[in-house]
Amino acid sequence: MRSLIDIQELSIQEIDELIARANDIIAHPEAYREKCRYKKLATLFFEPSTRTRLSFEAAMYELGGQVLGFSEAQSSSAAKGESVSDTVRVVSGYADIIAMRHPKEGAPLVASRAATVPVINAGDGGHLHPTQTLTDLLTISREKGRLDHLTIGVCGDLKFGRTVHSLIAAMARYEGVKFALISPAELKLPSYIKKEILQQKGIEYVQTTDLAAVMPTLDILYMTRVQRERFFNEEDYLRLKDSYILTPDKLQNARADLSILHPLPRVNEIATAIDDDPRACYFKQALYGKYIRMALILKLLEVE
Ligand code: NCD
């Protein structure tokens, strides 16, 4: 029985297989309609979500399975003081696989040790978000036809943005990948990620506050929201929230084949005027999230 807590638990070959499976599902959805008949997915969401939870649920329904769960901590026994371990031990008897989101870093890992069914980390605090990264990798591979030799700009809240942490960990394993880390000084990428991933692997990166300066070099621009819920005070949030707003004029010196990604939800970081630009991929990306989660559920449930 296997869980997915950190994207680095998957080998490159396994990621390739998941992407191939997701592409096959996109091409032949009817072949998958009964694959998870009589299987149940529990979505235990202790923190708000739209895409992640609904795409997991849609994924399980499209595989012919069923879904149970809760979408806020207040409606679960956590509100009575139950531990995560007890909750998942109980839910292991009700479902075949669990997707869990939690505001505390490490909670899904703790859950995976108590569960007797696979646990998928659907986002833990400001730490990791491996299924968003699988979504991002599927999107990049479909847009670019490869995952190697790419220059990736990640822009916005690199400190608290868990999607960025998992994306960097995943992309750093492909040959010829370079990063531009674009953020306000207060929201820089945590130094443990720079040390343990970028420097350790000798990966080329620049750290800057200036999006315009690096724009012409980018193959991928990954925009992120400033993570309001992780701030200690509202003043800092208000000062930093509009640090980067992507508008059409800022794309003037961008490459014609740039791909613009965003895990969503968007607040202000991308002007809606960009939505119709052929380089905007974020709504497609949200759709791909459903297919890659279907592929992941099949893998963890060991369905052929
Ligand atoms: C992201 C998250 O929850 O970390 N959303 C998502 O899962 N698509 C990004 C965010 O909330 O900013």
Side-chain angles (χ1 to χ4, degrees), residues 47-49 51-52 101 122 129 132 162-163 225 227 229-230 262-265 293:
E47 209 187 49
S49 167
R51 265 150 302 277
T52 305
R101 169 170 289 190
H129 196 346
Q132 180 63 46
R162 56 194 173 196
T163 62
R225 167 182 76 90
Q227 305 281 299
E229 63 277 34
R230 317 259 179 248
H262 189 309
L264 303 180
R293 288 182 174 101

Side-chain angles (χ1 to χ4, degrees), residues 30-265:
E30 65 292 339
Y32 290 87
R33 270 185 204 139
E34 302 277 314
K35 292 274 184 201
C36 285
R37 220 169 153 206
Y38 307 122
K39 301 271 188 210
K40 281 172 285 174
L41 164 77
T43 51
L44 311 185
F45 276 60
F46 296 87
E47 209 187 49
S49 167
T50 303
R51 265 150 302 277
T52 305
R53 185 170 59 84
L54 296 186
S55 68
F56 263 115
E57 296 189 354
M60 196 51 163
Y61 286 126
E62 289 192 24
L63 291 168
Q66 287 164 312
V67 178
L68 64 165
F70 53 82
S71 54
E72 48 182 330
Q74 281 315 310
S75 64
S76 78
S77 281
K80 298 181 185 168
E82 186 173 50
S83 70
V84 158
S85 296
D86 281 4
T87 304
V88 296
R89 191 167 298 179
V90 170
V91 173
S92 292
Y94 303 156
D96 302 281
I97 186 164
I98 294 172
M100 174 188 276
R101 169 170 289 190
H102 204 285
K104 276 212 188 102
E105 286 81 4
L109 176 64
V110 169
S112 70
R113 291 179 178 150
T116 55
V117 299
V119 174
I120 301 172
N121 178 4
D124 62 329
H127 189 212
L128 300 172
H129 196 346
T131 64
Q132 180 63 46
T133 299
L134 290 174
T135 302
D136 303 338
L137 298 184
L138 174 61
T139 308
I140 294 171
S141 117
R142 286 178 68 94
E143 291 299 313
K144 292 280 175 271
R146 67 181 194 278
L147 291 170
D148 51 12
H149 298 95
L150 292 167
T151 299
I152 303 168
V154 285
C155 177
D157 187 345
L158 309 189
K159 180 179 181 187
F160 296 116
R162 56 194 173 196
T163 62
V164 168
H165 303 164
S166 289
L167 180 66
I168 289 176
M171 291 301 298
R173 298 192 295 183
Y174 295 91
E175 213 180 305
V177 166
K178 298 179 199 166
F179 294 98
L181 311 174
I182 310 137
S183 76
E186 294 92 327
L187 298 177
K188 283 196 285 209
L189 190 72
S191 51
Y192 81 90
I193 299 178
K194 269 181 266 175
K195 278 199 200 105
E196 289 168 24
I197 295 176
L198 298 177
Q199 288 158 14
Q200 167 102 17
K201 294 182 197 276
I203 289 164
E204 228 181 278
Y205 70 93
V206 290
Q207 184 167 274
T208 178
T209 54
D210 188 356
L211 175 58
V214 293
M215 186 69 92
T217 67
L218 304 179
D219 297 299
I220 310 280
L221 174 58
Y222 194 94
M223 295 296 292
T224 64
R225 167 182 76 90
V226 174
Q227 305 281 299
R228 181 183 205 157
E229 63 277 34
R230 317 259 179 248
F231 275 69
F232 293 110
N233 70 72
E234 185 72 1
E235 248 165 69
D236 284 349
Y237 170 72
L238 293 174
R239 185 168 49 82
L240 292 168
K241 74 179 174 61
D242 293 331
S243 300
Y244 300 97
I245 300 179
L246 192 62
T247 46
D249 56 302
K250 294 193 180 145
L251 285 177
Q252 262 164 15
N253 65 347
R255 297 178 51 155
D257 64 350
L258 174 73
S259 300
I260 305 166
L261 276 65
H262 189 309
L264 303 180

